[in-house]
Amino acid sequence: MKPQSMGQAVLIGLALIYLASLYFMSSPVWMGFTINALIVAVVALAWNITGGFGGMASFGHAAMYGTGAYASAILQVQYGINAWIAFAAGIVAGAAMGAFIGALAFRYGLKGSYFALVTLAFAEVLRICASSFAITGGGSGLQLRLEPGLSTLQFNERAVVYTILLVIVALVMALTAWLKYSRFGAYLIAVRENEDAARALGIDTYRIKVKAMAISGAFAGLAGVLYLQVWLFIDSAVVYGSAVSIEALIGPIIGGAGTVWGPLIGTLGLHLLGEGAKHLLHNAPGLNFVLYAVVLICALRFLPQGLMGLAARIGTFRKKDDDNA
Amino acid sequence: MLEVRNLSKSFGGLKAVSDASLDVPEGGIVGLLGPNGAGKTTCFTMIAGFTKPDHGSVRFNGQDVTGLPPHRICAMGMIRTFQIVQPFAGLTVQENIAVGAYLHHHDRAEAMAVARQVGKRLGMGAMLDRPASSLTIAGRKRLELARALATGAKLLLLDEVMAGLIPSEVSEIVGIIRQIRDEGHTFLMIEHVMQAVMSLAETAYVLNHGKMIAHGTPRELVQDPGVVEAYLGHGAAARLQEGHHA
């Protein structure tokens, strides 16, 4: 998680200063906005595991996000199960959905845009299913009963919600860093760079990829559950909609895919930009997506390694040359 | 150590390899020669588990490994390298080697230590912290070898590790391979660089149009009329003979 250059240290510092400053600004608008951005950052971190480290660009992370949210909501609303258990179940459901999609797609050797299309198709099928069945509340969605408290995982205080989200984002990032420097992380990067060479070195690439999808699915499911607990309402368009999938991939790509900080920085930057544009142009609906598209195209053209990649080139810390034998 | 019997593979109507058999004794260096398109690499992919043979069997250390997936075969101690070397970009040289070492060392510190040790043995000590993508061709060939060694494999199938190297680099790699062999490894190598084959291989097989046409010491093979014709065309052996007598 250590920054490798002055530029990266500045970028991370800016993000941290912004996040900390919200405690002193006492602006409910900004805090609400940032709470949203943090939930998106968790899906972005989920996408980063498969798309960033594993090179499997999914276009349908909404499938896992929505499954997590719906699993938790159905358990709480339809079966009256405790919010904590439902919370855990949402994460497990997200992981299971990720593993299922991965197992199917990789069994047939899907890669690149074919994999992206299949994930998109899964998310869309799930969206349509969720809007048609009674257990998911059909077209009207599911609403949690408002009962603030620790046992229901609902909090009135914005600052409390914000703090919990900050802790969760930090935990997910710490897990990402740990994965990156583990055997699994090295194998995942090897699979991204050259699958045949990875197989020759004794890596069961199919298992590694499915495992990555399961971990990514767990993070995405977690984000879905967080959305549910913060806003207490979900419907099929909100949690299975392609907007979720797009936001999941755009943050890491702009911030720097395959880095620990990239997804958070990219997501925060984009949301600030989108919010700023909305205020300037008087809330024209959908304008943030137009802006995202422009930023995405520019990032792909000029910043293939995202903001973290750009910052890495500014003021590189000198590495000590130990052991030149 | 390795017994390949009657291996055959067709792609559509094309018989890429037919009835190929070979043996690699433990501690040996065996060459696999043949003109371009003879089926050498196809042989390798079948032995290492990347493609399933239509017929035939591969036995490694007495165990039948025919049709097993590559990662299982690698775990048993046989590994192949690739003709076109592609280091894992975005990782340092040491981390690249560690990907191989992780096979039997699950802990990062341990795998990195093994990687450092293997890297130094192959004369890459000064490059360990460099990004792998910055290596020259010669460096990449060494890295490919280092990664394979780090898995702890005992039998290495090398696919043209000398291709694209200048003569001084070839003699360095030849030295390295000999050193690794003396440490208890066995090699089966596809090679076009005759300087390397002549000085390294104890025996060699020659493949042409998917069939084994000759087997012997490299010195016998260069005088074999069938081998000469495979490389230089029909009638070439006779003309060479005439040239010698004239």
Side-chain angles (χ1 to χ4, degrees), chain B residues 42-189:
Chain B
T42 307
C43 254
F44 262 33
T45 59
M46 285 189 283
I47 295 171
F50 280 79
T51 44
K52 278 204 170 86
D54 299 338
H55 301 286
S57 69
V58 180
R59 294 176 74 79
F60 174 62
N61 278 338
Q63 274 179 292
D64 188 10
V65 298
T66 323
L68 284 185
H71 62 93
R72 294 272 309 279
I73 292 180
C74 180
M76 293 166 79
M78 168 159 72
I79 189 168
R80 73 170 285 209
T81 66
F82 289 84
Q83 195 174 341
I84 299 159
V85 285
Q86 281 171 334
F88 303 128
L91 294 179
T92 66
V93 170
Q94 192 180 3
E95 285 169 331
N96 259 271
I97 307 174
V99 172
Y102 273 124
L103 183 62
H104 295 298
H105 305 273
H106 291 205
D107 178 62
R108 177 179 168 90
E110 232 176 85
M112 288 297 268
V114 170
R116 172 166 288 268
Q117 187 208 330
V118 171
K120 279 185 180 170
R121 247 164 66 203
L122 295 201
M124 304 186 80
M127 312 171 204
L128 286 175
D129 292 327
R130 296 234 307 259
S133 46
S134 74
L135 291 181
T136 60
I137 282 288
R140 286 171 190 221
K141 300 268 182 183
R142 276 184 199 221
L143 177 58
E144 184 89 7
L145 208 53
R147 258 187 345 206
L149 270 182
T151 62
K154 287 292 168 206
L155 171 60
L156 289 88
L157 312 181
L158 307 183
D159 196 346
E160 293 203 33
V161 278
M162 319 276 180
L165 300 185
I166 60 171
S168 65
E169 291 165 344
V170 167
S171 36
E172 274 177 38
I173 298 255
V174 164
I176 287 173
I177 289 176
R178 213 175 263 134
Q179 173 203 333
I180 299 169
R181 194 269 304 267
D182 293 343
E183 287 164 10
H185 292 82
T186 307
F187 289 91
L188 172 62
M189 49 197 297

Side-chain angles (χ1 to χ4, degrees), chain A residues 72 75-76 81-91 149-155 164 225 229:
Chain A
S72 174
L75 287 179
Q76 291 184 66
I81 284 173
N82 175 276
W84 285 81
I85 296 168
F87 190 96
I91 297 173
L150 193 61
S151 64
T152 55
L153 280 170
Q154 296 175 17
F155 304 96
I164 292 172
V225 180
Q229 295 302 134

Side-chain angles (χ1 to χ4, degrees), chain A residues 180-183 186-187 189-194 196-205 319-320 322-325, chain B residues 49-50 70-71 74 79-80 82 86 88-89 91 95 99-100 102-103 106 108 116 120 125-126 129 147-148 151:
Chain A
K180 181 179 175 179
Y181 293 110
S182 71
R183 177 180 191 242
Y187 276 8
I189 294 171
V191 166
R192 174 187 75 195
E193 293 298 333
N194 188 336
D196 274 338
R199 286 167 69 203
L201 291 173
I203 302 174
D204 185 348
T205 55
K319 269 189 100 173
K320 58 178 191 311
D322 56 309
D323 209 347
N324 271 344
Chain B
F50 280 79
H71 62 93
C74 180
I79 189 168
R80 73 170 285 209
F82 289 84
Q86 281 171 334
F88 303 128
L91 294 179
E95 285 169 331
V99 172
Y102 273 124
L103 183 62
H106 291 205
R108 177 179 168 90
R116 172 166 288 268
K120 279 185 180 170
D129 292 327
R147 258 187 345 206
T151 62

Side-chain angles (χ1 to χ4, degrees), chain A residues 50 57 59 61 64 66 105 107 123 140 151 160 166 171 190-191 201 230 238 292 298 325:
Chain A
T50 43
F59 218 93
H61 259 60
M64 287 92 92
R107 174 72 64 205
S140 49
S151 64
V160 174
L166 275 185
L171 278 176
V191 166
L201 291 173
V230 170
V238 165
Y292 286 0
C298 292

Side-chain angles (χ1 to χ4, degrees), chain A residues 152-175:
Chain A
T152 55
L153 280 170
Q154 296 175 17
F155 304 96
N156 275 336
E157 273 297 315
R158 273 275 155 91
V160 174
V161 175
Y162 179 66
T163 308
I164 292 172
L165 282 171
L166 275 185
V167 170
I168 288 175
V169 168
L171 278 176
V172 172
M173 281 171 63
L175 259 173

